[in-house]
Structure formats: structure tokens, C-alpha cells
Amino acid sequence: MIRLGLALAVALFAPLQNPQPYSISYHLAMSRPASHMFEVTVEVTTPAGDSTPYVDFQMPLWQPGRYSVADFAANVQEFAAQSQGRALSWTKIDDQTWRVQKQGSRSVTAVYKVFGDDLSGTYGQLDVGHASYTGGEVFMYVAGHKSDAVELHIQPPNNWRVVNGRTERPDQHDWQYPNYEIMIDNPTEIGPDWTEDDFKVEGKTYHVVVHSRGDEGGRRSSFVRDIEKIVRAEVGMWGTPEFDNYTFMIHFADDDRSSDGMEHLTSTQIIQPGILADRETYYDALTTVAHEFFHAWNVKRLRPVELGPWDWTRPAATRGLWIAEGFTQYYGVEMYHRAGFEDSTNFLRDLSETVETIENSPANRLMSAEASSMAAPFIDSALHRQRTNLGNTSLSYYLKGELIALNLDLLIRNWTRGQRSLDDVMRRAYDEFYVKSPNASYYLKGRGYTIEDFARITSEVAGRDMTDWFAKYVRGVEPLPYEDALSGVGLRLVKSAQSQPYTAGIVIDRDDRQVVRLGSLQSDSAAEHAGLQQGDVLLTIGGTPVARDNWAATLNRYKQGDRIPITVRRFRRTTELTLQLGPPELFEYRIEEIPNASADAKRLRSAWLDAR
Ligand SMILES: [Zn+2]
Ligand SMILES: [Zn+2]
């Protein structure tokens, strides 16, 4: 709620703070690709009579879609400033801000280099093969003038071509954007050997830009046709999109490492670690396509109130990522199914796996969906130098949100006898907050929603007051009402102990490949009660020497109530302890059909599972 107040304050007072916009123009060059150095020039002209004695150039701490702090300023080097050939003095006033004194000039030019060598949806890469960047990791904004229109000019190396989600003609090197936030929402590929394939759906043009660093196996044309199937399924749900062009920017990195998917207003950036010729990589890419394209509506346009315009000097605190990411996760799986890539059995198995992950998670009764969203700066690819307990205390807003979506979808279908579904909630929210709301800020059309807004829309569609439901399952940590939700469509959740139901709360340190070293143990677990602690090296269980690949099987020879002698090495000494197993800890979850379900339930099930 604090952030809502801030967003409104920015919208109301921004015109007073910035009576006259600056003229801001960016130049991006990359004359030495092997150096990984992006060369950036920012030209700023202030209006006559502007009394501010300096211009502040600021690197954002993060950029949209990844909520942990990225500290882009760490890769800035060789900053300098001048005006018409005259050097201007500047100082670094904090970790992200370079203050340039105007010294009587109206125009200020800042130049700097940015090192980038990560193929990622957040960081940039320049190497001898290409340049790939998103925006915030390369471009500083002018503090106080983030809302001003900006220009961008790109100077690629010889024979390298430039493409992004706002390319309108071949050989385009210049762009104009209504504000900085829109400029950095446009990942760009620059290189000699990317390909482009196009198709149209309902009069809109879709571009598929592929940069393959490995073998495509002749599969690109079928890949593009399969993307079209996903586009048709999603447009079928949302209706014709408002954009004229949309670009899938896809890397097949062939490095077993680089992997990402990032949503943008008129594009998505997808990075696969494998090659297109590989079947698994091919279908992984399609599932990511299904997820990211759904974001063109959910999060990029229909958005939580905290998501834009942004304060880039601190991480965002967002309550609604379980909708923005979690519902997108649900629909990504659903649209992959609706597009015909996965039959109902496999679709239900996918959902069962998410139930299993969440229900077996130690944080499931500790962290709510809303709290998980607020923890995003700590859990979304965040790096921690201190030891944290997040393994015990944090839950994925992707997966918990997926399950909230599943439950809501099925309950609404049941309560409305199949007249409505979660699709109606999404469409109605998109219409009210994006299409029909007056613009709340310079950033984008419409306004962001609060959780209360979203609960109201859900109530309207469901035909009942959902306030308590949100209190229990979104803000609270009560077990989701699977039985109610699934039985309405003739399904049930079957829970049984896994074949190896015990870990005793032991988590193995993945970084130590030599021995069975304990990582962060689960709270209140048998291992913790036995006196085990992080760093202990497990030697024997019940007298049997154990290694990384057999300790779990050895432990699972025992059952509830057994007292098991174990030995560990701790501080160079061997210590003996006794582990006592409690009830089974890990369960298998399977969504299956109820035999003899009612005809009504079967009809609702078919409407859900067989939708095309
Ligand atoms: Zn590339
Ligand atoms: Zn996403």
C-alpha cells in the first residue's frame, strides 16, 4: 500500500518536478566485440533557463522481470563527461549515480563503457559472435527525467544486423521511445547470423528471430509453425491483441548453461542451453514460449500496481507476483495443452507434479503466496553472501500461484455451472485495468491493480464474495481446497507415501562433490533433533558406509520409530549420533478421475480439458 501511495504521488507531482523535459539521445557502439565492452554515449540538452547545476546519470539497480538486485553499475567503466569538446567535472555520489556539473552549459554528454558477457534475460553479452542486451544493464537514465522521450542510435560492427521487438524496417538503426522505461523493455540482438521467420494471426504479425549457436537439424520451420499454434491458443483466450507486431527473440546457446525467459511489451527473450536439433530442447523452448507469450497480457499490460513506473534505486516490493508469474505458469501449461502438445493425462501429471513440489515443501505452511511475492528480491535468482534459511522458509510464487489458479479456475467453473472460468477473471481484469482505466502515469496505458482489485473482479466472476478465500489461501497459508476444486470436475487428489519417504530433513550440500556433506537441514526435522548440523560429513547410517548416491536408499531401509545409529565427521573428529525417524515425510500426489463421477462433473471436466 505504501507503494500505491508512492505511485500516485509520482503521477500527481511529476509534472511539477519536471516542468520541461530534457532532450535525451543514446548512442550505442561496439567497436571491439572481443573486449565485451558496450560503448555508450548519452547526450542531454536541458531547456534554456533550467537552473539545475548538474545532471545525474544513474544505472538502475535492477530491471523488470527479475526482481533481485543486479547492481548493473558494477560493470560500468571509463566514465567521462564533456560539453562541446570541453571536459566537465563529475563525481560519483553513490553506488549507482554519476553527477556531472553543467558548468554553464546547456548540453552534457556522458560517455562510458559497460562490460557484458552473460547471455541472459537480465544481463547483456557482447562477444565476437553477437551482442544481446535488454536495456537496463547498458543504459543509464537521467535522474528526474526517466519520463522524458528518448532516442536511440545503434552503430553495429560491419555486416552485423540489428533486430528487436520494435523493428519496423530492415537496416533500422534508430529508434524513438516515449520514455526510458519503454526503451529498456526491448531486448535487442545484433549479429551477422540470426534468422527471422514470420507468420500472421488475426492480422497481427509475429516474428521469430532465432540465433542458433548449434545444429538446428532442419527443425526451424516446424518450430515456427508450432509457435504459431501457441499464439493461436492464447489469442483464442484473450482476443485480438492490441499490438501490431510481436517478436520471439530466441537463442539456442549450445553451452549447457545459459537458460532464461523474459517477458516484454512487444517481444520475449528466450535462451535455451541446448540446440534446436535436440527434441527435448525443442519442446522446452515451446513451453517457455507458451509462458512468455501469455505475459504479453498478464504482467506486461495487466499488471500489479507496483510494476511501473519504477524506482530503480531500490528493489521492488510487489504483492501480486503469484498472479503475474503464478497464473502465467498455470496458463503456460494449460496453453501448451490447448495447443495440442500435451494430452490431458500429461497435463494432469504436470499439475500433479506442482502439487507434489508445493505440498512437500518445508515452507508451505510458513510462507503465503503474497509473502512469497514480497520476498522476490531475495528468491528470484538472488545471490547471498550470508548463509540464509530460505530453503526452509521460502516458497515459489510461480508454483503456489499456479495452484491458486488451478483451484480458482475449477471452483469458478463449478460454482457457475460451466458458464465462467478463470479465463473470464483474466479478461475482465485486463479490460478494466488496462484497456479502460485512465492512464495512472506516463509509463503505460491504464493502471496497475491491487490485490483487493483482483479479489473484487474474481468475486464478480465467481458470483460470490471471495474476500475470505483470498485471506485463507493468498494472504494465509491454509491448505488449498483441492478436494472441493477437483471434485467439481470429477477429479480427486490421491496422496500416498513416496517409495523413499524419508530424508530425515537432511539436505546434501550440492557444492561439495567429494563427500556427503550436510547443507541447511530442514527445521524441526529428525536430523535436527538428532543433533546433526550443517557442515557435518555423513559417514555411516546403521553401520553402513554411505556415499552421495546411496545415503537416501540406506536411510529408507528404516521405518517410523526406528532408532538409527549414524556417524559423522565434524571438526576432524568422528561423532556418533542417533537418528529417530518420525512419520513418512515425502508424499506422492496424483490427480486422477473419480470413477462414476456425475454427468455434470464430467461435462465440466471435458469443457476444461478438451478446450481448444
Ligand atoms: Zn545472438
Ligand atoms: Zn514469467
Side-chain angles (χ1 to χ4, degrees):
M1 297 304 95
I2 292 165
R3 305 285 297 170
L4 170 62
L6 195 65
L8 288 175
V10 168
L12 289 171
F13 298 118
L16 297 177
Q17 284 174 346
N18 309 320
Q20 291 197 65
Y22 290 180
S23 159
I24 303 172
S25 174
Y26 292 83
H27 297 256
L28 177 66
M30 49 210 81
S31 61
R32 295 186 301 122
S35 71
H36 313 294
M37 293 292 173
F38 290 98
E39 301 149 21
V40 184
T41 304
V42 194
E43 293 173 353
V44 178
T45 304
T46 62
D50 183 85
S51 57
T52 321
Y54 54 78
V55 176
D56 282 345
F57 294 89
Q58 215 159 38
M59 275 312 257
L61 286 196
W62 59 283
Q63 61 181 330
R66 181 131 308 120
Y67 298 96
S68 52
V69 168
D71 277 329
F72 297 126
N75 271 354
V76 171
Q77 62 186 70
E78 296 169 64
F79 183 92
Q82 50 104 351
S83 179
Q84 278 134 16
R86 177 172 63 114
L88 297 176
S89 63
W90 58 272
T91 44
K92 190 90 188 285
I93 60 165
D94 60 33
D95 58 328
Q96 62 179 138
T97 314
W98 286 255
R99 174 165 291 175
V100 178
Q101 298 299 329
K102 287 161 71 180
Q103 296 170 245
S105 299
R106 273 185 54 206
S107 63
V108 171
T109 300
V111 296
Y112 59 93
K113 292 176 182 168
V114 181
F115 176 89
D117 194 22
D118 289 285
L119 184 52
S120 146
T122 299
Y123 302 99
Q125 182 171 67
L126 172 65
D127 63 21
V128 293
H130 76 162
S132 167
Y133 71 84
T134 298
E137 78 279 45
V138 175
F139 301 119
M140 295 183 185
Y141 55 89
V142 178
H145 288 264
K146 216 152 54 70
S147 57
D148 297 355
V150 295
E151 289 178 11
L152 171 64
H153 309 280
I154 297 179
Q155 191 181 341
N158 281 341
N159 302 320
W160 285 25
R161 295 166 291 129
V162 187
V163 68
N164 61 40
R166 293 182 186 271
T167 294
E168 289 166 2
R169 57 179 190 281
D171 303 321
Q172 183 173 349
H173 289 171
D174 306 308
W175 284 266
Q176 296 193 319
Y177 299 96
N179 57 65
Y180 172 86
E181 260 118 4
I182 301 293
M183 176 175 76
I184 65 164
D185 190 32
N186 194 22
T188 297
E189 169 75 5
I190 307 165
D193 58 350
W194 50 265
T195 58
E196 181 182 330
D197 298 271
D198 299 344
F199 60 87
K200 274 188 186 278
V201 173
E202 293 189 9
K204 310 294 187 177
T205 305
Y206 296 85
H207 310 278
V208 180
V209 170
V210 173
H211 185 191
S212 280
R213 290 187 149 170
D215 183 18
E216 293 191 339
R219 305 197 73 186
R220 203 173 70 240
S221 57
S222 79
F223 181 63
V224 173
R225 282 197 300 278
D226 282 344
I227 291 177
E228 181 176 342
K229 288 177 196 164
I230 289 166
V231 168
R232 287 186 186 279
E234 300 198 4
V235 168
M237 181 205 131
W238 285 106
T240 308
E242 62 154 14
F243 47 76
D244 292 325
N245 290 275
Y246 184 92
T247 306
F248 296 90
M249 315 262 301
I250 305 175
H251 276 94
F252 291 96
D254 194 17
D255 64 0
D256 299 324
R257 179 173 53 87
S258 307
S259 174
D260 212 343
M262 193 55 77
E263 64 277 5
H264 298 279
L265 271 165
T266 56
S267 64
T268 174
Q269 190 178 22
I270 294 172
I271 297 154
Q272 287 288 323
I275 59 175
L276 185 54
D278 173 60
R279 182 185 160 81
E280 197 178 328
T281 301
Y282 182 104
Y283 286 103
D284 276 355
L286 284 181
T287 59
T288 309
V289 163
H291 178 101
E292 299 303 333
F293 186 55
F294 198 85
H295 274 316
W297 290 269
N298 190 33
V299 87
K300 292 314 301 184
R301 290 175 174 82
L302 169 62
R303 58 198 188 271
V305 66
E306 303 92 348
L307 293 190
W310 287 273
D311 177 353
W312 307 114
T313 65
R314 47 170 299 166
T318 311
R319 293 187 191 281
L321 292 180
W322 57 275
I323 303 169
E325 285 299 349
F327 282 30
T328 300
Q329 187 73 16
Y330 172 69
Y331 275 106
V333 178
E334 168 129 12
M335 291 297 168
Y336 190 72
H337 166 68
R338 281 190 203 174
F341 296 109
E342 188 169 78
D343 63 16
S344 295
T345 306
N346 285 319
F347 173 54
L348 293 179
R349 195 203 53 215
D350 275 357
L351 295 171
S352 304
E353 281 172 6
T354 304
V355 173
E356 193 163 302
T357 303
I358 287 294
E359 294 301 321
N360 282 323
S361 165
N364 194 28
R365 299 286 171 267
L366 278 182
M367 178 175 268
S368 70
E370 190 173 300
S372 171
S373 179
M374 292 292 280
F378 304 136
I379 60 181
D380 184 17
S381 301
L383 294 172
H384 298 280
R385 300 191 60 169
Q386 63 178 332
R387 241 174 216 169
T388 73
N389 198 31
L390 289 165
N392 281 315
T393 59
S394 71
L395 199 69
S396 161
Y397 45 82
Y398 284 82
L399 300 186
K400 184 65 185 280
E402 179 184 351
L403 297 182
I404 290 172
L406 169 68
N407 278 271
L408 273 179
D409 194 12
L410 298 186
L411 288 170
I412 292 170
R413 286 168 189 269
N414 195 17
W415 293 335
T416 64
R417 297 176 174 275
Q419 296 301 301
R420 291 174 182 162
S421 71
L422 190 63
D423 297 6
D424 295 283
V425 175
M426 302 310 286
R427 285 188 292 251
R428 193 180 285 213
Y430 176 75
D431 194 54
E432 176 169 335
F433 304 122
Y434 180 70
V435 178
K436 295 200 176 131
S437 281
N439 293 8
S441 76
Y442 66 84
Y443 162 60
L444 193 65
K445 190 159 139 178
R447 71 170 175 94
Y449 60 80
T450 64
I451 302 305
E452 290 71 24
D453 288 328
F454 199 84
R456 173 176 57 77
I457 297 278
T458 307
S459 300
E460 287 168 13
V461 171
R464 59 179 69 195
D465 184 355
M466 298 293 286
T467 311
D468 284 351
W469 203 97
F470 274 63
K472 278 188 197 167
Y473 305 121
V474 171
R475 190 160 289 177
V477 294
E478 289 196 28
L480 284 164
Y482 297 110
E483 196 182 323
D484 273 1
L486 290 166
S487 65
V489 295
L491 297 171
R492 65 186 176 194
L493 186 64
V494 180
K495 174 183 175 182
S496 53
Q498 291 190 4
S499 60
Q500 290 191 358
Y502 291 109
T503 66
I506 291 170
V507 179
I508 298 301
D509 182 346
R510 281 195 224 157
D511 295 333
D512 191 335
R513 297 184 173 275
Q514 308 300 317
V515 293
V516 193
R517 189 179 297 280
L518 306 193
S520 298
L521 301 185
Q522 280 179 22
S523 301
D524 199 23
S525 61
E528 191 186 277
H529 295 155
L532 288 167
Q533 64 176 13
Q534 178 158 21
D536 288 349
V537 174
L538 202 51
L539 301 175
T540 66
I541 297 178
T544 305
V546 292
R548 291 170 64 86
D549 59 358
N550 74 350
W551 73 269
T554 308
L555 178 70
N556 277 278
R557 287 180 200 155
Y558 297 89
K559 59 182 192 309
Q560 180 165 357
D562 286 352
R563 293 171 57 81
I564 312 163
I566 58 171
T567 55
V568 297
R569 195 175 73 235
R570 178 184 294 170
F571 307 130
R572 300 174 192 275
R573 296 184 28 194
T574 300
T575 302
E576 294 181 17
L577 298 161
T578 304
L579 191 67
Q580 182 162 22
L581 290 180
E585 302 154 27
L586 295 176
F587 295 90
E588 210 170 83
Y589 290 83
R590 199 173 64 253
I591 297 172
E592 62 174 37
E593 294 187 5
I594 298 174
N596 309 320
S598 70
D600 275 353
K602 283 181 179 165
R603 181 179 59 82
L604 292 181
R605 182 167 76 213
S606 165
W608 176 50
L609 288 179
D610 304 335
R612 284 288 184 276

